[in-house]
Amino acid sequence: MKQTISSKITLTIVLFLGLLSQAQSKKWTLEECVDYAIKNNISIKQSELDTKSASIEKSSAVGNFLPTFDINGSHSWNIGLNQNIITNLLENQTTQFTSAGINSNVAIYNGMQNQNRLRRANLAIVASEYQLSKMKDDISLNVANAFLQILFNKENLKVQKEQLSNNEKQLLRSQELVNAGVVPRGDLLDIKATVATNNQAIVTAENALLISKLSLAQLLQLDNFRDFDIADANYDAKESSTLLQTPAAIFAKAKEERVELKIAKTNLEIAERDLKIAKGAYQPSLQGVYSLSTRAGYSDRVVFDASGNPSFAAPFSVLKQFDINKGQSFGFQMNIPVLNGFSIRNNVDRSKIALDRSKIAFSQQELDLERNIYTAFTDAKGAMKANESAIITLEARQEAYNYAKEKFAVGMLNAFDLNQSQTLFVNAQSEVVRTKYDYIFRVKVIEFYFGIPIIKKQ
Protein backbone atom coordinates (compact mmCIF):
# COMPACT_ATOMS: atom_id res chain seq x y z
CA MET A 1 0.00 0.00 0.00
CA LYS A 2 2.82 2.40 0.94
CA GLN A 3 4.65 1.46 -2.23
CA THR A 4 1.56 2.29 -4.31
CA ILE A 5 1.15 5.73 -2.66
CA SER A 6 4.84 6.43 -3.15
CA SER A 7 4.58 5.50 -6.81
CA LYS A 8 1.61 7.85 -7.27
CA ILE A 9 3.46 10.71 -5.61
CA THR A 10 6.50 10.08 -7.78
CA LEU A 11 4.35 9.99 -10.91
CA THR A 12 2.64 13.25 -9.92
CA ILE A 13 5.98 14.97 -9.36
CA VAL A 14 7.28 13.75 -12.72
CA LEU A 15 4.17 14.99 -14.51
CA PHE A 16 4.37 18.34 -12.73
CA LEU A 17 8.02 18.80 -13.64
CA GLY A 18 7.24 17.79 -17.20
CA LEU A 19 4.46 20.36 -17.47
CA LEU A 20 6.66 23.00 -15.85
CA SER A 21 9.48 22.26 -18.27
CA GLN A 22 7.07 22.40 -21.18
CA ALA A 23 5.70 25.76 -20.00
CA GLN A 24 9.17 27.20 -19.62
CA SER A 25 10.26 25.91 -23.02
CA LYS A 26 7.31 27.47 -24.86
CA LYS A 27 8.46 29.44 -27.85
CA TRP A 28 6.21 32.11 -29.27
CA THR A 29 5.45 32.42 -32.96
CA LEU A 30 4.90 35.77 -34.62
CA GLU A 31 1.17 35.05 -34.88
CA GLU A 32 0.95 34.26 -31.16
CA CYS A 33 2.87 37.41 -30.25
CA VAL A 34 0.60 39.64 -32.33
CA ASP A 35 -2.61 38.00 -31.07
CA TYR A 36 -1.46 38.21 -27.46
CA ALA A 37 -0.43 41.85 -27.82
CA ILE A 38 -3.78 42.81 -29.32
CA LYS A 39 -5.62 41.15 -26.43
CA ASN A 40 -3.43 42.41 -23.59
CA ASN A 41 -1.67 45.62 -24.62
CA ILE A 42 -2.50 48.55 -22.31
CA SER A 43 -2.85 51.08 -25.12
CA ILE A 44 -5.36 48.86 -26.89
CA LYS A 45 -7.34 48.41 -23.68
CA GLN A 46 -7.48 52.18 -23.29
CA SER A 47 -8.77 52.52 -26.85
CA GLU A 48 -11.43 49.92 -26.09
CA LEU A 49 -12.52 52.01 -23.09
CA ASP A 50 -12.73 55.06 -25.36
CA THR A 51 -15.10 53.10 -27.59
CA LYS A 52 -17.28 52.24 -24.60
CA SER A 53 -17.30 55.89 -23.53
CA ALA A 54 -18.46 56.90 -27.02
CA SER A 55 -21.34 54.42 -26.73
CA ILE A 56 -22.36 56.01 -23.43
CA GLU A 57 -22.36 59.45 -25.10
CA LYS A 58 -24.69 58.07 -27.74
CA SER A 59 -27.02 56.80 -25.03
CA SER A 60 -27.10 60.32 -23.56
CA ALA A 61 -27.88 61.78 -26.99
CA VAL A 62 -30.78 59.37 -27.43
CA GLY A 63 -32.03 60.27 -23.94
CA ASN A 64 -32.39 63.92 -24.99
CA PHE A 65 -35.36 62.92 -27.17
CA LEU A 66 -37.20 61.31 -24.26
CA PRO A 67 -39.41 63.31 -21.86
CA THR A 68 -38.21 63.90 -18.36
CA PHE A 69 -40.31 62.55 -15.49
CA ASP A 70 -39.73 63.44 -11.84
CA ILE A 71 -41.60 62.44 -8.70
CA ASN A 72 -41.32 64.68 -5.66
CA GLY A 73 -42.66 64.49 -2.15
CA SER A 74 -42.22 66.16 1.23
CA HIS A 75 -43.39 65.79 4.81
CA SER A 76 -43.12 68.62 7.35
CA TRP A 77 -43.91 69.41 10.97
CA ASN A 78 -45.13 72.87 11.94
CA ILE A 79 -44.86 73.80 15.64
CA GLY A 80 -46.51 76.86 17.11
CA LEU A 81 -48.83 79.37 15.46
CA ASN A 82 -49.05 78.39 11.81
CA GLN A 83 -51.57 78.53 9.08
CA ASN A 84 -53.17 75.22 8.33
CA ILE A 85 -52.67 74.82 4.60
CA ILE A 86 -55.79 72.68 4.48
CA THR A 87 -58.19 74.94 6.44
CA ASN A 88 -56.29 78.22 5.95
CA LEU A 89 -56.86 78.95 9.67
CA LEU A 90 -54.14 80.03 12.14
CA GLU A 91 -53.53 77.34 14.69
CA ASN A 92 -51.19 77.17 17.69
CA GLN A 93 -50.32 73.53 17.65
CA THR A 94 -48.04 70.97 16.12
CA THR A 95 -49.26 69.91 12.70
CA GLN A 96 -47.97 67.67 9.95
CA PHE A 97 -48.38 68.07 6.23
CA THR A 98 -47.55 65.82 3.30
CA SER A 99 -47.31 66.94 -0.29
CA ALA A 100 -46.49 65.00 -3.47
CA GLY A 101 -46.33 65.67 -7.16
CA ILE A 102 -44.93 64.74 -10.52
CA ASN A 103 -43.33 66.93 -13.17
CA SER A 104 -42.63 66.16 -16.77
CA ASN A 105 -41.41 68.04 -19.80
CA VAL A 106 -40.42 67.14 -23.33
CA ALA A 107 -38.36 69.05 -25.86
CA ILE A 108 -40.39 69.83 -28.95
CA TYR A 109 -37.90 71.98 -30.83
CA ASN A 110 -34.46 73.34 -29.90
CA GLY A 111 -32.81 74.28 -33.15
CA MET A 112 -32.15 70.66 -34.21
CA GLN A 113 -29.57 70.40 -31.43
CA ASN A 114 -30.75 67.01 -30.23
CA GLN A 115 -30.67 65.56 -33.74
CA ASN A 116 -27.19 66.93 -34.35
CA ARG A 117 -25.96 65.64 -30.99
CA LEU A 118 -27.15 62.15 -31.89
CA ARG A 119 -25.42 62.28 -35.27
CA ARG A 120 -22.28 63.55 -33.56
CA ALA A 121 -22.42 60.68 -31.07
CA ASN A 122 -22.66 58.17 -33.92
CA LEU A 123 -19.64 59.77 -35.59
CA ALA A 124 -17.72 59.65 -32.31
CA ILE A 125 -18.34 55.89 -32.08
CA VAL A 126 -17.04 55.44 -35.62
CA ALA A 127 -13.96 57.56 -34.83
CA SER A 128 -13.21 55.55 -31.69
CA GLU A 129 -13.52 52.29 -33.63
CA TYR A 130 -11.13 53.61 -36.27
CA GLN A 131 -8.74 54.68 -33.53
CA LEU A 132 -8.90 51.22 -31.97
CA SER A 133 -8.17 49.64 -35.35
CA LYS A 134 -5.20 51.96 -35.87
CA MET A 135 -3.88 51.13 -32.41
CA LYS A 136 -4.05 47.41 -33.20
CA ASP A 137 -2.23 47.96 -36.48
CA ASP A 138 0.50 50.00 -34.81
CA ILE A 139 0.99 47.41 -32.09
CA SER A 140 1.12 44.62 -34.67
CA LEU A 141 3.78 46.50 -36.62
CA ASN A 142 5.82 47.13 -33.49
CA VAL A 143 5.58 43.48 -32.47
CA ALA A 144 6.67 42.34 -35.93
CA ASN A 145 9.65 44.70 -35.79
CA ALA A 146 10.66 43.46 -32.33
CA PHE A 147 10.19 39.83 -33.42
CA LEU A 148 12.42 40.29 -36.47
CA GLN A 149 15.01 42.03 -34.31
CA ILE A 150 15.24 38.92 -32.13
CA LEU A 151 15.67 36.73 -35.20
CA PHE A 152 18.44 38.99 -36.45
CA ASN A 153 20.23 38.87 -33.09
CA LYS A 154 19.91 35.07 -33.03
CA GLU A 155 21.45 34.68 -36.48
CA ASN A 156 24.12 37.21 -35.66
CA LEU A 157 25.00 35.21 -32.53
CA LYS A 158 25.29 32.06 -34.65
CA VAL A 159 27.68 33.87 -36.97
CA GLN A 160 29.86 34.97 -34.08
CA LYS A 161 29.92 31.48 -32.55
CA GLU A 162 30.76 29.92 -35.88
CA GLN A 163 33.64 32.32 -36.30
CA LEU A 164 34.87 31.55 -32.80
CA SER A 165 34.85 27.85 -33.62
CA ASN A 166 36.84 28.51 -36.80
CA ASN A 167 39.32 30.71 -34.94
CA GLU A 168 39.83 28.12 -32.23
CA LYS A 169 40.63 25.56 -34.92
CA GLN A 170 42.95 28.09 -36.52
CA LEU A 171 44.62 28.62 -33.14
CA LEU A 172 45.39 24.91 -32.88
CA ARG A 173 46.72 24.89 -36.44
CA SER A 174 48.87 27.96 -35.72
CA GLN A 175 50.28 26.27 -32.63
CA GLU A 176 51.33 23.35 -34.77
CA LEU A 177 52.90 25.65 -37.36
CA VAL A 178 54.80 27.54 -34.65
CA ASN A 179 56.05 24.30 -33.16
CA ALA A 180 57.19 23.24 -36.63
CA GLY A 181 58.95 26.57 -37.12
CA VAL A 182 56.84 27.46 -40.19
CA VAL A 183 55.36 30.72 -38.80
CA PRO A 184 56.71 33.05 -36.12
CA ARG A 185 55.34 33.05 -32.57
CA GLY A 186 53.93 36.55 -33.11
CA ASP A 187 51.33 35.10 -35.50
CA LEU A 188 50.20 32.73 -32.76
CA LEU A 189 49.72 35.66 -30.39
CA ASP A 190 47.70 37.48 -33.03
CA ILE A 191 45.41 34.45 -33.38
CA LYS A 192 44.97 34.30 -29.61
CA ALA A 193 44.01 37.98 -29.63
CA THR A 194 41.50 37.25 -32.39
CA VAL A 195 39.94 34.46 -30.32
CA ALA A 196 39.63 36.80 -27.36
CA THR A 197 38.02 39.42 -29.59
CA ASN A 198 35.56 36.79 -30.85
CA ASN A 199 34.61 35.95 -27.26
CA GLN A 200 33.87 39.62 -26.63
CA ALA A 201 31.78 39.77 -29.79
CA ILE A 202 29.77 36.76 -28.59
CA VAL A 203 29.10 38.43 -25.23
CA THR A 204 27.93 41.57 -27.04
CA ALA A 205 25.69 39.51 -29.35
CA GLU A 206 24.22 37.61 -26.39
CA ASN A 207 23.44 40.86 -24.60
CA ALA A 208 21.80 42.29 -27.70
CA LEU A 209 19.68 39.12 -28.02
CA LEU A 210 18.63 39.29 -24.36
CA ILE A 211 17.68 42.96 -24.60
CA SER A 212 15.62 42.35 -27.77
CA LYS A 213 13.76 39.50 -26.01
CA LEU A 214 13.03 41.73 -23.02
CA SER A 215 11.78 44.48 -25.32
CA LEU A 216 9.29 42.17 -27.01
CA ALA A 217 8.21 40.60 -23.71
CA GLN A 218 7.52 44.05 -22.26
CA LEU A 219 5.65 45.04 -25.41
CA LEU A 220 3.44 41.99 -24.86
CA GLN A 221 2.94 42.96 -21.18
CA LEU A 222 4.23 39.58 -20.00
CA ASP A 223 4.77 39.14 -16.26
CA ASN A 224 7.22 36.26 -16.54
CA PHE A 225 9.60 37.56 -19.18
CA ARG A 226 12.77 35.87 -17.95
CA ASP A 227 12.06 32.60 -19.79
CA PHE A 228 10.54 34.30 -22.82
CA ASP A 229 11.74 33.11 -26.23
CA ILE A 230 10.43 32.99 -29.76
CA ALA A 231 10.25 30.12 -32.21
CA ASP A 232 13.01 30.06 -34.77
CA ALA A 233 11.62 30.85 -38.19
CA ASN A 234 13.25 31.07 -41.57
CA TYR A 235 12.09 34.21 -43.38
CA ASP A 236 13.33 34.54 -46.93
CA ALA A 237 14.15 37.95 -48.31
CA LYS A 238 12.10 37.42 -51.45
CA GLU A 239 10.77 40.19 -53.62
CA SER A 240 7.27 41.32 -52.75
CA SER A 241 4.66 41.85 -55.44
CA THR A 242 3.79 45.12 -53.70
CA LEU A 243 7.11 46.57 -54.83
CA LEU A 244 5.99 46.07 -58.42
CA GLN A 245 3.36 48.74 -57.77
CA THR A 246 4.06 52.44 -58.10
CA PRO A 247 4.03 54.66 -54.99
CA ALA A 248 1.08 56.51 -56.47
CA ALA A 249 -0.91 53.26 -56.78
CA ILE A 250 -0.02 52.29 -53.21
CA PHE A 251 -1.12 55.74 -52.00
CA ALA A 252 -4.44 55.44 -53.86
CA LYS A 253 -4.98 52.04 -52.23
CA ALA A 254 -3.98 53.37 -48.81
CA LYS A 255 -6.51 56.21 -49.07
CA GLU A 256 -9.20 53.54 -49.22
CA GLU A 257 -7.74 51.10 -46.69
CA ARG A 258 -5.82 53.02 -44.04
CA VAL A 259 -7.70 54.29 -41.00
CA GLU A 260 -5.53 57.40 -40.53
CA LEU A 261 -7.49 59.30 -43.19
CA LYS A 262 -10.77 57.79 -41.98
CA ILE A 263 -10.06 59.09 -38.48
CA ALA A 264 -9.23 62.58 -39.78
CA LYS A 265 -12.31 62.63 -42.00
CA THR A 266 -14.58 61.49 -39.17
CA ASN A 267 -13.13 64.14 -36.87
CA LEU A 268 -13.88 66.70 -39.59
CA GLU A 269 -17.50 65.55 -39.72
CA ILE A 270 -17.69 65.75 -35.92
CA ALA A 271 -16.45 69.35 -36.05
CA GLU A 272 -19.14 70.16 -38.62
CA ARG A 273 -21.80 68.75 -36.28
CA ASP A 274 -20.39 70.76 -33.38
CA LEU A 275 -20.82 73.91 -35.46
CA LYS A 276 -24.44 73.03 -36.23
CA ILE A 277 -25.10 72.38 -32.55
CA ALA A 278 -23.63 75.75 -31.61
CA LYS A 279 -25.68 77.55 -34.28
CA GLY A 280 -28.82 75.80 -33.08
CA ALA A 281 -28.63 77.82 -29.85
CA TYR A 282 -29.55 80.93 -31.87
CA GLN A 283 -33.02 79.55 -32.54
CA PRO A 284 -35.99 79.55 -30.14
CA SER A 285 -36.62 76.45 -28.08
CA LEU A 286 -40.04 75.01 -27.33
CA GLN A 287 -40.92 72.36 -24.79
CA GLY A 288 -44.09 70.91 -23.38
CA VAL A 289 -44.57 70.85 -19.59
CA TYR A 290 -46.93 68.98 -17.29
CA SER A 291 -47.23 68.83 -13.51
CA LEU A 292 -49.51 67.15 -10.98
CA SER A 293 -49.54 68.01 -7.25
CA THR A 294 -51.58 67.16 -4.15
CA ARG A 295 -51.34 67.51 -0.38
CA ALA A 296 -52.68 66.16 2.90
CA GLY A 297 -52.82 67.34 6.54
CA TYR A 298 -53.09 65.44 9.82
CA SER A 299 -54.84 68.05 12.06
CA ASP A 300 -58.55 68.19 12.79
CA ARG A 301 -60.70 69.82 10.15
CA VAL A 302 -63.44 72.42 10.63
CA VAL A 303 -66.99 71.36 9.78
CA PHE A 304 -70.26 73.29 9.95
CA ASP A 305 -73.62 71.97 11.11
CA ALA A 306 -76.99 72.80 9.58
CA SER A 307 -77.12 76.08 11.54
CA GLY A 308 -73.69 77.11 10.31
CA ASN A 309 -71.93 76.55 13.61
CA PRO A 310 -68.34 75.35 13.22
CA SER A 311 -66.89 72.34 14.95
CA PHE A 312 -63.84 70.09 14.60
CA ALA A 313 -63.82 66.63 13.09
CA ALA A 314 -61.15 64.05 12.48
CA PRO A 315 -59.17 64.56 9.21
CA PHE A 316 -59.97 62.58 6.12
CA SER A 317 -57.70 59.71 5.25
CA VAL A 318 -54.48 60.63 3.46
CA LEU A 319 -55.53 58.97 0.21
CA LYS A 320 -58.85 60.79 0.23
CA GLN A 321 -57.13 64.12 0.89
CA PHE A 322 -54.75 63.41 -1.97
CA ASP A 323 -57.76 62.84 -4.20
CA ILE A 324 -59.59 65.97 -3.00
CA ASN A 325 -56.58 68.31 -3.14
CA LYS A 326 -54.98 67.16 -6.37
CA GLY A 327 -54.35 69.64 -9.14
CA GLN A 328 -52.56 69.55 -12.49
CA SER A 329 -51.22 71.95 -15.05
CA PHE A 330 -49.85 71.63 -18.55
CA GLY A 331 -48.76 73.88 -21.34
CA PHE A 332 -45.87 75.03 -23.48
CA GLN A 333 -42.73 76.91 -22.63
CA MET A 334 -40.78 78.88 -25.21
CA ASN A 335 -37.36 80.43 -24.79
CA ILE A 336 -36.11 82.99 -27.33
CA PRO A 337 -32.45 83.98 -26.91
CA VAL A 338 -32.05 87.75 -27.10
CA LEU A 339 -29.05 88.84 -25.08
CA ASN A 340 -26.76 86.31 -23.39
CA GLY A 341 -23.42 88.04 -23.04
CA PHE A 342 -22.23 86.87 -26.50
CA SER A 343 -21.99 83.31 -25.17
CA ILE A 344 -23.80 81.76 -28.17
CA ARG A 345 -21.81 83.78 -30.69
CA ASN A 346 -18.55 82.89 -28.96
CA ASN A 347 -19.45 79.19 -28.97
CA VAL A 348 -20.18 79.42 -32.69
CA ASP A 349 -16.86 81.15 -33.34
CA ARG A 350 -15.00 78.49 -31.32
CA SER A 351 -16.72 75.77 -33.33
CA LYS A 352 -15.72 77.48 -36.57
CA ILE A 353 -12.09 77.56 -35.45
CA ALA A 354 -12.27 73.90 -34.45
CA LEU A 355 -13.71 73.07 -37.88
CA ASP A 356 -10.87 74.93 -39.62
CA ARG A 357 -8.38 73.00 -37.47
CA SER A 358 -10.01 69.71 -38.48
CA LYS A 359 -9.81 70.67 -42.17
CA ILE A 360 -6.12 71.46 -41.80
CA ALA A 361 -5.55 68.22 -39.86
CA PHE A 362 -7.27 66.22 -42.61
CA SER A 363 -5.12 67.81 -45.31
CA GLN A 364 -1.99 67.30 -43.20
CA GLN A 365 -2.86 63.66 -42.57
CA GLU A 366 -3.25 63.10 -46.29
CA LEU A 367 0.13 64.71 -46.96
CA ASP A 368 1.75 62.69 -44.15
CA LEU A 369 0.33 59.45 -45.50
CA GLU A 370 1.60 60.20 -48.99
CA ARG A 371 5.05 61.13 -47.68
CA ASN A 372 5.23 58.03 -45.47
CA ILE A 373 4.29 55.77 -48.37
CA TYR A 374 6.87 57.25 -50.71
CA THR A 375 9.47 57.03 -47.94
CA ALA A 376 8.54 53.42 -47.10
CA PHE A 377 8.61 52.47 -50.77
CA THR A 378 12.04 54.03 -51.24
CA ASP A 379 13.32 52.37 -48.05
CA ALA A 380 12.03 48.97 -49.16
CA LYS A 381 13.66 49.30 -52.59
CA GLY A 382 16.89 50.46 -50.97
CA ALA A 383 16.82 47.61 -48.44
CA MET A 384 16.36 45.08 -51.25
CA LYS A 385 19.34 46.45 -53.17
CA ALA A 386 21.40 46.62 -49.98
CA ASN A 387 20.68 42.95 -49.28
CA GLU A 388 21.59 41.94 -52.82
CA SER A 389 24.85 43.90 -52.57
CA ALA A 390 25.60 42.38 -49.16
CA ILE A 391 25.19 38.87 -50.56
CA ILE A 392 27.58 39.63 -53.43
CA THR A 393 30.05 41.14 -50.97
CA LEU A 394 29.80 38.08 -48.71
CA GLU A 395 30.57 35.74 -51.60
CA ALA A 396 33.67 37.77 -52.45
CA ARG A 397 34.76 37.99 -48.80
CA GLN A 398 34.27 34.23 -48.43
CA GLU A 399 36.57 33.50 -51.35
CA ALA A 400 39.11 36.04 -50.11
CA TYR A 401 39.08 34.54 -46.63
CA ASN A 402 39.47 30.99 -47.97
CA TYR A 403 42.41 32.12 -50.07
CA ALA A 404 43.95 33.90 -47.08
CA LYS A 405 43.69 30.74 -44.98
CA GLU A 406 45.42 28.74 -47.68
CA LYS A 407 48.26 31.26 -47.88
CA PHE A 408 48.54 31.36 -44.07
CA ALA A 409 48.72 27.56 -43.92
CA VAL A 410 51.83 27.54 -46.10
CA GLY A 411 53.42 30.55 -44.41
CA MET A 412 52.79 33.04 -47.24
CA LEU A 413 50.54 35.27 -45.10
CA ASN A 414 50.98 36.54 -41.58
CA ALA A 415 48.35 36.32 -38.85
CA PHE A 416 47.56 40.05 -38.96
CA ASP A 417 46.55 39.94 -42.62
CA LEU A 418 44.58 36.75 -41.98
CA ASN A 419 42.77 38.45 -39.13
CA GLN A 420 41.93 41.43 -41.34
CA SER A 421 40.48 39.13 -43.98
CA GLN A 422 38.49 37.25 -41.38
CA THR A 423 37.12 40.48 -39.85
CA LEU A 424 35.90 41.61 -43.26
CA PHE A 425 34.30 38.20 -43.79
CA VAL A 426 32.50 38.27 -40.43
CA ASN A 427 31.32 41.81 -41.03
CA ALA A 428 29.99 40.74 -44.43
CA GLN A 429 28.07 37.87 -42.81
CA SER A 430 26.53 40.20 -40.23
CA GLU A 431 25.66 42.70 -42.93
CA VAL A 432 23.80 40.04 -44.92
CA VAL A 433 21.76 39.13 -41.83
CA ARG A 434 21.09 42.78 -40.98
CA THR A 435 20.02 43.79 -44.49
CA LYS A 436 17.88 40.65 -44.79
CA TYR A 437 15.70 41.44 -41.79
CA ASP A 438 15.72 45.13 -42.55
CA TYR A 439 14.33 44.34 -45.99
CA ILE A 440 11.72 41.96 -44.57
CA PHE A 441 10.48 44.62 -42.18
CA ARG A 442 10.46 47.33 -44.87
CA VAL A 443 8.36 45.05 -47.05
CA LYS A 444 5.98 44.49 -44.13
CA VAL A 445 5.55 48.25 -43.82
CA ILE A 446 4.79 48.83 -47.50
CA GLU A 447 2.40 45.87 -47.56
CA PHE A 448 0.78 47.32 -44.45
CA TYR A 449 0.03 50.52 -46.35
CA PHE A 450 -1.28 48.50 -49.27
CA GLY A 451 -3.87 46.86 -47.02
CA ILE A 452 -2.11 43.54 -46.43
CA PRO A 453 -2.28 42.64 -42.71
CA ILE A 454 0.89 42.03 -40.71
CA ILE A 455 -0.30 38.51 -39.94
CA LYS A 456 -2.18 36.74 -42.69
CA LYS A 457 -4.93 34.66 -41.12
CA GLN A 458 -5.17 31.13 -42.40
Side-chain angles (χ1 to χ4, degrees), residues 266-305:
T266 305
N267 288 335
L268 176 59
E269 294 175 351
I270 289 175
E272 291 174 346
R273 289 295 168 185
D274 286 335
L275 180 58
K276 291 182 179 180
I277 293 172
K279 287 183 177 180
Y282 279 126
Q283 301 183 31
S285 62
L286 178 66
Q287 63 178 358
V289 296
Y290 174 80
S291 65
L292 171 66
S293 61
T294 186
R295 56 189 179 178
Y298 300 87
S299 58
D300 293 340
R301 57 191 176 89
V302 178
V303 296
F304 297 90
D305 57 17

Side-chain angles (χ1 to χ4, degrees), residues 4-24:
T4 303
I5 296 175
S6 178
S7 301
K8 291 182 178 179
I9 294 176
T10 303
L11 179 60
T12 303
I13 293 175
V14 170
L15 291 175
F16 174 76
L17 293 177
L19 293 174
L20 181 61
S21 176
Q22 183 179 3
Q24 291 177 346

Side-chain angles (χ1 to χ4, degrees), residues 225-376:
F225 55 84
R226 295 171 182 83
D227 299 324
F228 174 77
D229 196 5
I230 65 171
D232 294 332
N234 185 20
Y235 290 91
D236 296 326
K238 56 185 179 180
E239 185 175 1
S240 173
S241 59
T242 309
L243 295 181
L244 301 178
Q245 304 286 336
T246 63
I250 297 175
F251 176 61
K253 181 72 172 178
K255 290 175 67 175
E256 300 175 358
E257 299 289 340
R258 294 304 307 140
V259 295
E260 289 90 339
L261 285 181
K262 294 180 181 179
I263 293 173
K265 184 178 180 181
T266 305
N267 288 335
L268 176 59
E269 294 175 351
I270 289 175
E272 291 174 346
R273 289 295 168 185
D274 286 335
L275 180 58
K276 291 182 179 180
I277 293 172
K279 287 183 177 180
Y282 279 126
Q283 301 183 31
S285 62
L286 178 66
Q287 63 178 358
V289 296
Y290 174 80
S291 65
L292 171 66
S293 61
T294 186
R295 56 189 179 178
Y298 300 87
S299 58
D300 293 340
R301 57 191 176 89
V302 178
V303 296
F304 297 90
D305 57 17
S307 302
N309 297 318
S311 62
F312 290 95
F316 292 124
S317 66
V318 174
L319 293 179
K320 184 172 182 179
Q321 291 187 66
F322 278 167
D323 181 61
I324 295 174
N325 298 320
K326 69 177 183 292
Q328 55 185 332
S329 65
F330 56 89
F332 300 97
Q333 180 178 337
M334 176 175 285
N335 180 41
I336 302 176
V338 178
L339 184 63
N340 47 41
F342 305 114
S343 62
I344 296 178
R345 189 184 72 177
N346 291 337
N347 287 335
V348 171
D349 291 340
R350 292 190 192 97
S351 298
K352 288 180 179 179
I353 294 174
L355 178 59
D356 291 338
R357 290 182 187 275
S358 297
K359 291 179 180 179
I360 295 173
F362 178 75
S363 300
Q364 185 63 51
Q365 187 63 61
E366 195 171 30
L367 291 174
D368 291 343
L369 181 61
E370 185 177 20
R371 184 183 68 252
N372 292 338
I373 287 175
Y374 274 81
T375 301

Side-chain angles (χ1 to χ4, degrees), residues 103-124:
N103 296 292
S104 179
N105 62 72
V106 58
I108 299 175
Y109 181 79
N110 63 350
M112 301 293 291
Q113 287 182 311
N114 287 346
Q115 289 84 346
N116 287 320
R117 286 193 180 99
L118 178 58
R119 295 188 180 102
R120 185 195 186 282
N122 288 328
L123 290 172

